[in-house]
Amino acid sequence: MTVAFLTPKRRRAAVALGAVSAGLLVLSACEKPTPLATVTVGSSSVSTEAACYNDGKALADKDIPGCLNKKPEKSISVDPSVDQVRFGVDPEIAEMGWTIFLGGRNAEPEPFKKTYRSIPASAFFSSQMGPAPEKTQVTIVANSGKNVAGIWHFELKKKS
């Protein structure tokens, strides 16, 4: 003779409790994604998470040069003679402020505080001496003017 250890009602409750526990375990192992930055040219756009981000807090000064020198994972093609390059950031980045760096160097004096801006593509491919570059690295840096909180990289490729 077999004895049922759990009634069907208790078995269902145990299975439900196990499923909820497993779900909570999986969720606790996930990292919160970083805010996104997006570059749009015409009808094409690319988005990326931060190369370096500390949940909105200042990055350590020793980490910033390495973060600025990381290679971009996302690229987009532009025609410098006609295209506008549109930059977009999540609202939490806009609240903090953000600037654009070209080739790892600051290209702006003050942080921008809106979620969106548009710049002519020609601004990224002009050269004072010699031929214009075929590609350029554009970096979005979240900062309040004093502390760097996040860094996103993109590469703009000149259409041939």
Side-chain angles (χ1 to χ4, degrees):
M1 176 164 109
T2 58
V3 178
F5 290 107
L6 294 175
T7 64
K9 186 176 181 181
R10 286 189 176 188
R11 200 171 316 151
R12 283 191 299 271
V15 168
L17 180 61
V20 168
S21 298
L24 289 173
L25 180 64
V26 168
L27 285 176
S28 68
C30 294
E31 286 186 28
K32 181 180 173 187
T34 66
L36 293 177
T38 303
V39 174
T40 303
V41 177
S43 61
S44 300
S45 66
V46 292
S47 295
T48 190
E49 288 190 17
C52 296
Y53 190 73
N54 188 20
D55 203 23
K57 300 175 194 100
L59 296 173
D61 288 341
K62 65 179 179 59
D63 296 335
I64 294 171
C67 291
L68 284 174
N69 292 324
K70 285 186 178 181
K71 299 293 179 202
E73 294 180 12
K74 303 287 182 147
S75 66
I76 193 164
S77 296
V78 300
D79 182 343
S81 62
V82 295
D83 285 335
Q84 291 283 321
V85 180
R86 295 171 186 88
F87 296 93
V89 298
D90 282 356
E92 65 187 86
I93 299 305
E95 284 178 29
M96 186 180 323
W98 55 287
T99 55
I100 293 177
F101 280 50
L102 296 175
R105 295 186 165 188
N106 194 350
E108 302 176 299
E110 297 289 324
F112 194 72
K113 296 273 193 174
K114 296 183 180 176
T115 59
Y116 170 85
R117 67 191 301 182
S118 184
I119 300 172
S122 59
F124 301 102
F125 292 95
S126 63
S127 176
Q128 298 296 332
M129 296 182 195
E134 292 298 311
K135 60 186 177 180
T136 188
Q137 180 172 327
V138 178
T139 303
I140 294 174
V141 178
N143 68 78
S144 61
K146 297 176 185 171
N147 297 318
V148 173
I151 298 173
W152 295 258
H153 297 288
F154 296 94
E155 183 175 74
L156 302 180
K157 294 181 177 180
K158 191 177 188 181
K159 286 182 185 174
S160 43

